[in-house]
Amino acid sequence: MIKSKQKFFFRNLAFILAVFSALNFALIGSNESVETLSKLGSRGQEVRQVQQKLKSLGYYKGSVDGIFGVQTKSAVTAFQKNCGITADGIAGPKTLKYLGITAASTSSSGGKYSSNDITLLAKLIAAEARGEGYTGQVAVGAVVLNRVKHSSFPDTVAGVIYQKGAFSAVNDSNWNTSPNETSRKAAQDCINGWDPSGGAIYYYNPKKTSNSFMLSRPVIKTIGNHVFCK
């Protein structure tokens, strides 16, 4: 009887250990795949997405081949530096969020935006138009959304805002300005469809701009200190 109980005990123990080992192996394998999806040497669809986004933003010049090589790492690092986040060359969750590659983000074609999109839009409005009247602030936010919908620009809020050279405030001290209640409300009004800019995809302050390209754009209207154009 005792031997029978011992056999039963050891048989169950062996089964439990086997199950534990299998689960542990699966977890390790899962973690490794997550960690390597966006590192140097990784391959796959997510890497292609990263490359495509970086290419559309002007950071990546190579082929969209799904291989995370040195060129992709350099592009990720440059993007991270421009965004003011840890520049480690790894496309982790935060970097993917800034690129607009997240489960939380939604397609602009559906006319819906995530809470992250609204917060980021409010941050840009606070940085770029904090001295403008309310309508002027909404108009600046509307330009971002008009670009999201336009075929010549990235198709996410993050992509448009962090596109290389798109908005000067992203790269200067103004980017430290925190969104306030007004800029958040302005962002929400943009999301809800108010576009005081009249469909503009560019704007500039004529007192501060000497860029020939901007000055050559067809003007739609002037709101406060900004000229909005096509």
Side-chain angles (χ1 to χ4, degrees), residues 62-97:
S63 301
V64 180
D65 54 10
I67 302 172
F68 203 120
V70 174
Q71 200 172 0
T72 303
K73 181 180 179 180
S74 296
V76 170
T77 302
F79 174 76
Q80 290 169 326
K81 287 180 179 177
N82 188 59
C83 296
I85 59 179
T86 302
D88 56 8
I90 298 172
K94 190 168 187 178
T95 300
L96 292 176
K97 183 178 77 172

Side-chain angles (χ1 to χ4, degrees), residues 53-68:
K53 287 291 184 180
L54 291 171
K55 198 176 187 73
S56 70
L57 296 173
Y59 292 91
Y60 180 64
K61 307 298 182 184
S63 301
V64 180
D65 54 10
I67 302 172
F68 203 120

